[in-house]
C-alpha cells in the first residue's frame, strides 16, 4: 500500500499550499461532477433564476456510496444532483426514469437537522419541498415540454435544438431531461460566496456530518490507526466521467474467495481508512489534472511528495531549456549555431536546467512515478510504480537526455539539440501503423529506460532506423524528424562507442564512412540541380534504402548519376566542385580496401555519419533559405 501512503502524504503536505493558479485539492467527502443547470435561490429557499452551464466540472458533497454509485437504484448525492432526484414534480411531467426524490429529500433533511447543518443546505431543502423544480425550469425555458406538458425526449422544432439537448448524452436517439445535473447558488446576507460548491464553510459542515455517520471501525493498513474504514473507494480519478476504481470489492454473488474470506466487502483482505482513501484519491486526481502524461485511458504521473516541481519524463529536451523569459529559438540558438562543440554546449545547458530543479528539491526528497490504465470501464490497474530519491531521479533524467541527445528537426520553429519525447519516438518507429494501443505499449517500454536507466529496446531502435532508410516513403518533414530521432536512439543505444554530435573525421568505421559518402554525393548533386534550375530529388535521396542494404554496388550507381551535376558545376562552380572532390577522395582513402568493397547491409551508424557530414556541409543558420544557397566553400 505504499502508493496510497505516498498520495496521502502528498495531500497532507500540499493541502492549502497549492501553487498560485493551480486548482485546489478537493476536500474529503466530495466528488467531481459535470453540471448542466444552475439554480439561484435566496436564503429562504425562494427561486430567483436559472441558467444552462456548459458541462462545467463541479466539486459537490457526496456520500461514500453516492461517490461510486452504479446500478438501477443509485443512492442520491446530499445536495447537488440530477433533476430526477431534486424535483418532486418530475414524474408529473412524464419523467422517463424513476424518481428518487424521497431518498434525496430524506438524506438532505438529516443533514439539515443535525448539529452540522448549513444555511445554504437549509435553503435548498426548503425550495425542493415546494415541489416546483421542473415547473420553474420550464418557465425559465431551461427544460422543454410538449403540448401535453410532458418533458421532450427529442427536439422536433424548426429552430436549432436548445443548449440542454446538445449537452445531454443521447441514448437510442433520445435524451432524458431528467439526467440534467443541478447545482445551486444561494444568496446569503453576510456571505459573498453564493456557489455551494465553492463555500468552504459548507464543505466543512458536510465533511463533519458525513464523518459522524461512519460506523465501521478497524485498523487502517496505511496509518496503523483504529479509524472509520472505507467500504467503497472513489472513482472519477482521471476525469469526471471515469468509472474505473483502483480499489474495489464486488463479489456479492459467486463468492470466488470463500474459504479465505467470509464476506464480500474486501475489508478482511485490506482495510483502508475512509479519510485516508479520500485524501489519497483526491491527491491523485489533482496531480493527474496538473501534470500527467495522457494517452486515452493511459495516465502516467510524476510528482514530488512535497508538491515541488519536477521535470516531466515525457518532455523532450527543448522543454527543459525553456525558462519563463526565453523563447524556443533563444533556448536553442547557441547550441545549434555552435557547431564546433555542440555536445559540450548542450551538456552545459542541460546541467543548468537540471540545477534549477536541484535548487528546489532536497536530495532525499521523495519522488514517485506512477502509471495507470484500465482494460474495462470499472477496473483500473497500476501498470508502473517507482519511488526514488530526488537526487536519484534528477540524475536519471539528466542521463537520459545526455545519452540520447542529437540535433533534431521537428519543423521550421522546432529545431533543437536534445532527446525526443517518448511520443515522438513511438511515431517515428511505427508511423501510420501507430494506434492508441501500440502507443501505450511503446510508452510503457520506454518508461523504464527513462526512470530506471535501462537500455532502449533494440527492436524499437531498429524500427526507427528502418523507417528512416525508406526516405521516398516519407514526407520530407517526416523524414527530417525521423532522421534526428533515429540518430539519437542509435547513439544512446551504443553509448559506449562515444559518438559525437559533430563530424568525426577520425572515425573510420565502414558504416560511418559510407554515410559520409552519401551526404557528399547528395550535396554535389543537389548543388548541380540548383545551378541547373531543377527541383527533383537527388539520386542519393531516391536510392537511400537500396544504399543501406547494398552500399558497395549502389555506390557505383550513385557515382555515375553525379556526372551531369559535375559537368554543370565544373563550368559554373569550379571552386565548389574542387573542394567536394577533394573531400570525397579523403573519405574514400579512409576506407580499408575490404570495407569499401563489402556489400553487407549497413547499420544505423551510417545515419550518424550521413547526418554529421550533411550538417558540416550545411551548418544551421537563422535563415534556412540562405543556408541552402551558400556553402563554406564558396
Amino acid at each position: 500500500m505504499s502508493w496510497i501512503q505516498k498520495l496521502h502524504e502528498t495531500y497532507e503536505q500540499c493541502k492549502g499550499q497549492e501553487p498560485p493558479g493551480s486548482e485546489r485539492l478537493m476536500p474529503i467527502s466530495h466528488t467531481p461532477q459535470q453540471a448542466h443547470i444552475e439554480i439561484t435561490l435566496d436564503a429562504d429557499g425562494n427561486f430567483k433564476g436559472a441558467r444552462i452551464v456548459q458541462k462545467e466540472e463541479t466539486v459537490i458533497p457526496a456520500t461514500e456510496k453516492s461517490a461510486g454509485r452504479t446500478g438501477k437504484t443509485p443512492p442520491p448525492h446530499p445536495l447537488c444532483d440530477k433533476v430526477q432526484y431534486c424535483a418532486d414534480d418530475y414524474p408529473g411531467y412524464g419523467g422517463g426514469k424513476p424518481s428518487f426524490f424521497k431518498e434525496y429529500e430524506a438524506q438532505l433533511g438529516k443533514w439539515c437537522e443535525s448539529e452540522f447543518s448549513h444555511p445554504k443546505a437549509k435553503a435548498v431543502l426548503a425550495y425542493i419541498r415546494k415541489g416546483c423544480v421542473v415547473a420553474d425550469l420550464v418557465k425559465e425555458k431551461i427544460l422543454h415540454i410538449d403540448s401535453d406538458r410532458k418533458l421532450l425526449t427529442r427536439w422536433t422544432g424548426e429552430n436549432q435544438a436548445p443548449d440542454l439537448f446538445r449537452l445531454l448524452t443521447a441514448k437510442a436517439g433520445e435524451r432524458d431531461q431528467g439526467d440534467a445535473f443541478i447545482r445551486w447558488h444561494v444568496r446569503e446576507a453576510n456571505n459573498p460566496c453564493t456557489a455551494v460548491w465553492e463555500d468552504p464553510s459548507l464543505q466543512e459542515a458536510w465533511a463533519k456530518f458525513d464523518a459522524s455517520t461512519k460506523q465501521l471501525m478497524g485498523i487502517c493498513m496505511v496509518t496503523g490507526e483504529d479509524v472509520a474504514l472505507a467500504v467503497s473507494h472513489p472513482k472519477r480519478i482521471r476525469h469526471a466521467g471515469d468509472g474505473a476504481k483502483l480499489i474495489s470489492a464486488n463479489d456479492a454473488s459467486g463468492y470466488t474467495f470463500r474459504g479465505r474470506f467470509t464476506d464480500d466487502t474486501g475489508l478482511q483482505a485490506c482495510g483502508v481508512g475512509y479519510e485516508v482513501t479520500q485524501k489519497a484519491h483526491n491527491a491523485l486526481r489533482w496531480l493527474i489534472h496538473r501534470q500527467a502524461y495522457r494517452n486515452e485511458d493511459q495516465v502516467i504521473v510524476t510528482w514530488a511528495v512535497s508538491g515541488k516541481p519536477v521535470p516531466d519524463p515525457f518532455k523532450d529536451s527543448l522543454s527543459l531549456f525553456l525558462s519563463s523569459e526565453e523563447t524556443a529559438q533563444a533556448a536553442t540558438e547557441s547550441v545549434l549555431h555552435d557547431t564546433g562543440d555542440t555536445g559540450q554546449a548542450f551538456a552545459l545547458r542541460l546541467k543548468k536546467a537540471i540545477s534549477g530543479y536541484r535548487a528546489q528539491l532536497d536530495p532525499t526528497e521523495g519522488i514517485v512515478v506512477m502509471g495507470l490504465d484500465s482494460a474495462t470501464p470499472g477496473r483500473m490497474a497500476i501498470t508502473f510504480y517507482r519511488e526514488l530519491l530526488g537526487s536519484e531521479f534528477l540524475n536519471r533524467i539528466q542521463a537520459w537526455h545526455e545519452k540520447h541527445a542529437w540535433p533534431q528537426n521537428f519543423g521550421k520553429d522546432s529545431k533543437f539539440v536534445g532527446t525526443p519525447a517518448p511520443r515522438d519516438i513511438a511515431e517515428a518507429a511505427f508511423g501510420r501503423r501507430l494506434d492508441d494501443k501500440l502507443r501505450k505499449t511503446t510508452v510503457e517500454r520506454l518508461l523504464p529506460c527513462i526512470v530506471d536507466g535501462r537500455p532502449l529496446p533494440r527492436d524499437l531502435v531498429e524500427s526507427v532506423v528502418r523507417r528512416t532508410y525508406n526516405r521516398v516513403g516519407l514526407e520530407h518533414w517526416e523524414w527530417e524528424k525521423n532522421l534526428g530521432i533515429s540518430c539519437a536512439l542509435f547513439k544512446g543505444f551504443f553509448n559506449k562507442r562515444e559518438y559525437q554530435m559533430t563530424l568525426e573525421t577520425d572515425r573510420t568505421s565502414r558504416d560511418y564512412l559510407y554515410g559520409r559518402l552519401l551526404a557528399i554525393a547528395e550535396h554535389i548533386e543537389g548543388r548541380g540541380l540548383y545551378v541547373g534550375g531543377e527541383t527533383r530529388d537527388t539520386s542519393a535521396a531516391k536510392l537511400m534504402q537500396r544504399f543501406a542494404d547494398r552500399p558497395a554496388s549502389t555506390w557505383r550507381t550513385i557515382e555515375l548519376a553525379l556526372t551531369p551535376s559535375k559537368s554543370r558545376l565544373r563550368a559554373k562552380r569550379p571552386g565548389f566542385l574542387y573542394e567536394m572532390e577533394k573531400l570525397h577522395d579523403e573519405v574514400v582513402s579512409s576506407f580499408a580496401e575490404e570495407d569499401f568493397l563489402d556489400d553487407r547491409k549497413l547499420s544505423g551508424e551510417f545515419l550518424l555519419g550521413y547526418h554529421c557530414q550533411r550538417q558540416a556541409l550545411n551548418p544551421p543558420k537563422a535563415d534556412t533559405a540562405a543556408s541552402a544557397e551558400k556553402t563554406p566553400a564558396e
Side-chain angles (χ1 to χ4, degrees), residues 160-300:
Q160 185 180 8
D163 288 343
L164 187 62
F165 275 77
R166 291 186 284 107
L167 293 173
L168 294 175
T169 302
K171 296 179 180 178
E174 296 187 345
R175 292 171 172 81
D176 191 332
Q177 296 182 72
D179 286 337
F181 200 93
I182 298 175
R183 68 184 188 184
W184 309 95
H185 269 280
V186 180
R187 297 171 182 169
E188 298 178 84
N190 298 318
N191 189 350
C193 180
T194 61
V196 299
W197 63 92
E198 294 177 349
D199 192 331
S201 62
L202 182 141
Q203 293 173 344
E204 185 179 355
W206 166 251
K208 289 180 179 179
F209 172 75
D210 190 43
S212 69
T213 63
K214 305 301 178 188
Q215 297 179 347
L216 182 62
M217 307 297 291
I219 300 297
C220 174
M221 296 292 186
V222 177
T223 63
E225 300 174 356
D226 189 13
V227 295
L229 296 180
V231 176
S232 178
H233 297 266
K235 59 180 182 179
R236 298 189 179 94
I237 298 172
R238 294 168 293 187
H239 50 82
D242 186 13
K245 293 184 179 183
L246 276 169
I247 305 176
S248 63
N250 183 16
D251 197 21
S253 61
Y255 293 103
T256 307
F257 300 104
R258 176 174 284 180
R260 179 172 297 180
F261 309 119
T262 59
D263 60 43
D264 63 337
T265 63
L267 296 176
Q268 295 174 349
C270 177
V272 181
Y274 174 75
E275 185 175 324
V276 170
T277 190
Q278 286 279 314
K279 290 181 177 180
H281 282 83
N282 288 350
L284 180 57
R285 188 183 292 115
W286 178 69
L287 290 165
I288 289 173
H289 287 182
R290 288 184 66 224
Q291 59 203 59
Y293 164 85
R294 294 169 179 266
N295 177 37
E296 297 296 326
D297 290 335
Q298 183 188 52
V299 169
I300 302 173

Side-chain angles (χ1 to χ4, degrees), residues 595-634:
D595 286 345
F596 188 70
L597 299 177
D598 190 348
D599 213 23
R600 286 181 296 119
K601 186 176 181 179
L602 298 173
S603 70
E605 185 182 33
F606 144 72
L607 293 176
L608 272 67
Y610 168 82
H611 191 273
C612 289
Q613 182 65 72
R614 192 177 74 151
Q615 187 169 291
L617 294 172
N618 291 291
K621 294 183 180 180
D623 186 354
T624 54
S627 71
E629 297 178 6
K630 294 183 179 180
T631 66
E634 291 185 308

Side-chain angles (χ1 to χ4, degrees), residues 1-77:
M1 303 298 289
S2 61
W3 65 271
I4 200 169
Q5 181 182 4
K6 290 297 182 182
L7 287 167
H8 179 254
E9 291 177 12
T10 302
Y11 186 95
E12 294 290 359
Q13 294 195 43
C14 296
K15 180 64 175 174
Q17 305 294 325
E18 298 90 343
S22 171
E23 66 179 56
R24 303 294 94 183
L25 273 161
M26 194 165 64
I28 64 172
S29 300
H30 285 70
T31 189
Q33 180 68 49
Q34 288 184 338
H36 306 98
I37 300 173
E38 188 176 276
I39 296 178
T40 302
L41 310 173
D42 64 18
D44 297 322
N46 298 314
F47 181 82
K48 293 299 181 181
R51 71 180 186 94
I52 292 293
V53 179
Q54 298 296 322
K55 261 189 174 181
E56 293 181 16
E57 188 168 292
T58 306
V59 176
I60 64 168
T63 65
E64 187 174 7
K65 291 183 179 179
S66 73
R69 68 187 189 186
T70 56
K72 296 181 180 179
T73 58
H77 293 305

Side-chain angles (χ1 to χ4, degrees), residues 368-402:
V368 181
V369 184
M370 185 175 180
L372 305 172
D373 202 356
S374 58
T376 65
R379 298 289 184 272
M380 189 188 304
I382 298 175
T383 57
F384 184 88
Y385 185 79
R386 295 289 188 276
E387 293 181 12
L388 304 97
L389 297 177
S391 58
E392 183 181 20
F393 175 74
L394 292 178
N395 287 340
R396 290 182 182 178
I397 293 295
Q398 184 173 355
W400 163 258
H401 285 272
E402 285 180 344

